[in-house]
Amino acid sequence: DGGITQSPKYLFRKEGQNVTLSCEQNLNHDAMYWYRQDPGQGLRLIYYSQIVNDFQKGDIAEGYSVSREKKESFPLTVTSAQKNPTAFYLCASSIDSRGYGYTFGSGTRLTVV
Amino acid sequence: DQQVKQNSPSLSVQEGRISILNCDYTNSMFDYFLWYKKYPAEGPTFLISISSIKDKNEDGRFTVFLNKSAKHLSLHIVPSQPGDSAVYFCAASARGETSGSRLTFGEGTQLTVNP
């Protein structure tokens, strides 16, 4: 079955360390997205990519970086510059960039200790 | 600038009654609207959508209404069931944009259906 996989489900990081969250999809979707969920703030867009080797900043890109070297993969790196990294991170993909419905992964809970 | 707003953080209803979740938007370029349902520690799942050329879309117990002049949409769940208890996100996109189109989400509403 096609789907989108995020790993790991839970991640702990020490302050000052970078950490990379994985997102893989086998849906043959062109577009991929990273969102962050915080209580009371809904889903906020970090980065998105409409095509391989291209990506754009979302609304809260500071302290994050991404790459899109393969259509199937869109890893997110949370750098030490991110002031409040503890959150639930969601990856999504869609068949194109025109805003049709997304398929979401099951999320990664990142906790800074 | 919150372009999609869900003003009610929570809603509690009795099993069998109607649940009405509301959503307002400010961007007049939005032309496609969706509702997602999310359980704790899981990704959101698509529930129902509506294009701006319609004012109503129905799928089983779920109906979405769109009032373009008021920039308001609502999700009706009838009858509500305990399994409907989840966070519901409203989302919108401007599909007519040639680039950079993406979904903008509201803050979410926690629905609790009591047995």
Side-chain angles (χ1 to χ4, degrees), chain A residues 20-24 34 65-69 73-77:
Chain A
T20 298
L21 283 60
S22 169
C23 179
E24 303 277 335
W34 274 105
S65 66
V66 293
S67 62
R68 187 87 188 275
E69 296 176 2
S73 179
F74 191 41
L76 173 74
T77 297

Side-chain angles (χ1 to χ4, degrees), chain A residues 15-75:
Chain A
E15 277 196 45
Q17 288 181 339
N18 293 354
V19 63
T20 298
L21 283 60
S22 169
C23 179
E24 303 277 335
Q25 54 99 359
N26 60 3
L27 299 165
N28 201 32
H29 284 173
D30 285 323
M32 297 187 75
Y33 310 81
W34 274 105
Y35 284 85
R36 166 179 172 145
Q37 185 188 11
D38 296 282
Q41 298 198 55
L43 305 179
R44 293 184 292 167
L45 183 65
I46 303 172
Y47 268 98
Y48 62 107
S49 168
Q50 298 172 356
I51 198 168
V52 174
N53 292 323
D54 187 43
F55 49 82
Q56 289 80 41
K57 292 182 179 180
D59 301 318
I60 55 166
E62 185 176 350
Y64 299 97
S65 66
V66 293
S67 62
R68 187 87 188 275
E69 296 176 2
K70 299 186 299 181
K71 187 175 186 177
E72 302 80 18
S73 179
F74 191 41

Side-chain angles (χ1 to χ4, degrees), chain B residues 12-83:
Chain B
S12 183
V13 300
Q14 285 298 119
E15 181 177 6
R17 306 295 290 269
I18 184 171
S19 296
I20 301 176
L21 294 91
N22 293 303
C23 178
D24 297 293
Y25 62 95
T26 58
N27 188 342
S28 58
M29 298 299 293
F30 286 150
D31 59 0
Y32 189 62
F33 305 89
L34 309 91
W35 285 93
Y36 281 82
K37 177 180 178 179
K38 184 183 180 301
Y39 294 114
E42 293 184 11
T45 54
F46 170 74
L47 197 56
I48 192 169
S49 63
I50 188 167
S51 166
S52 60
I53 62 173
K54 293 185 172 183
D55 55 17
K56 177 182 174 181
N57 189 27
E58 190 172 356
D59 184 2
R61 296 186 298 115
F62 303 91
T63 303
V64 56
F65 295 92
L66 175 62
N67 182 334
K68 288 190 293 293
S69 60
K71 293 192 176 67
H72 177 84
L73 65 155
S74 60
L75 174 68
H76 292 210
I77 306 174
V78 182
S80 301
Q81 300 172 354

Side-chain angles (χ1 to χ4, degrees), chain A residues 9-10 33 35 37 40-43 45 48 50 57-59 88 90 97-107, chain B residues 2 32 34 36 38 41-46 87 89 93-95 97-108:
Chain A
K9 194 160 182 67
Y10 299 96
Y33 310 81
Y35 284 85
Q37 185 188 11
Q41 298 198 55
L43 305 179
L45 183 65
Y48 62 107
Q50 298 172 356
K57 292 182 179 180
D59 301 318
F88 188 58
L90 285 160
S97 63
R98 288 179 292 165
Y100 289 96
Y102 294 175
T103 299
F104 280 90
S106 57
Chain B
Q2 188 70 22
Y32 189 62
L34 309 91
Y36 281 82
K38 184 183 180 301
E42 293 184 11
T45 54
F46 170 74
V87 176
F89 289 100
S93 73
R95 291 186 298 173
E97 291 182 11
T98 54
S99 65
S101 180
R102 80 281 176 106
L103 288 181
T104 300
F105 287 85
E107 305 92 328

